[in-house]
Amino acid sequence: TFECSVDWTYGRDICCDEFHENPADVTFDHVKKWLAIYFFADDIDLDELSQEALVLYKACSEWTLPCPEEIELIYENTLEGSPLREHVLHALVEESFDRGPKDFEFFRDAIACNEEFAREFSKALKEHTGLANANDCSFESCTIHTKTKARRKSRGRRRRLN
């Protein structure tokens, strides 16, 4: 993390050299690198570096869902309103309205990993179900706000590899 921040400070771009065509290949260990850089940069107020790390984190995790360890790490190292928290929360709320009942175990584990996440997730679910107008729903595919949009590609679960 420190080496990457020094390289970035002296003008080298940070980038991901791995391929992400198969969501099953995107592991927690892979995205943890970008989280660590984000946390470090955020702590020392390097806003540009934290934004670059956030962009890379989102790009690497686009078609995967965060594992409980990842959610816990994000919630333990960020404050309320953090873009990382908002990204994870949005991804899981959207997925909960897209997937249906077959993922109860995944959501149970995600909710159980962090009390603050559980509160924010429950609040976001309630707010979304309370939308009176389907046009107010920003999700591509939503089981309660039926739209004419095509069903989006489902996200895979991020595997935890040590």
Side-chain angles (χ1 to χ4, degrees):
T1 301
F2 181 73
E3 180 183 337
C4 183
S5 66
V6 170
D7 288 346
W8 178 84
T9 301
Y10 288 103
R12 290 189 56 206
D13 290 332
I14 59 172
C15 63
C16 180
D17 297 329
E18 296 188 31
F19 295 102
H20 305 101
E21 285 82 28
N22 183 3
D25 293 337
V26 179
T27 65
F28 175 49
D29 286 339
H30 174 67
V31 298
K32 191 167 34 173
K33 171 174 69 174
W34 306 122
L35 292 174
I37 293 169
Y38 179 89
F39 300 147
F40 176 76
D42 192 50
D43 284 347
I44 62 172
D45 292 325
L46 287 176
D47 294 335
E48 288 180 46
L49 179 59
S50 66
Q51 288 307 307
E52 285 189 43
L54 178 62
V55 167
L56 287 165
Y57 168 77
K58 287 179 176 181
C60 291
S61 63
E62 182 176 8
W63 293 108
T64 61
L65 291 172
C67 63
E69 294 86 0
E70 186 174 339
I71 296 167
E72 187 173 22
L73 182 67
I74 290 169
Y75 271 76
E76 287 177 354
N77 289 284
T78 59
L79 299 174
E80 185 177 341
S82 158
L84 274 173
R85 285 186 179 198
E86 291 173 5
H87 174 73
V88 166
L89 187 62
H90 180 83
L92 286 168
V93 170
E94 182 175 17
E95 193 69 14
S96 70
F97 287 105
D98 186 52
R99 292 276 248 194
K102 63 184 175 224
D103 284 338
F104 284 132
E105 291 171 357
F106 172 76
F107 287 105
R108 177 202 62 208
D109 294 343
I111 291 169
C113 75
N114 183 281
E115 186 178 322
E116 196 170 354
F117 171 75
R119 278 193 303 273
E120 289 181 15
F121 183 73
S122 297
K123 181 181 174 186
L125 289 176
K126 184 177 180 180
E127 287 174 0
H128 190 77
T129 57
L131 293 175
N133 187 343
N135 292 330
D136 294 335
C137 175
S138 63
F139 300 153
E140 285 186 42
S141 175
C142 180
T143 56
I144 63 170
H145 300 110
T146 56
K147 299 180 183 183
T148 57
K149 294 181 180 180
R151 188 168 176 84
R152 70 174 176 82
K153 178 180 174 184
S154 292
R155 296 177 191 222
R157 295 181 186 168
R158 188 155 317 123
R159 297 178 301 133
R160 181 173 185 255
L161 297 180
N162 292 324

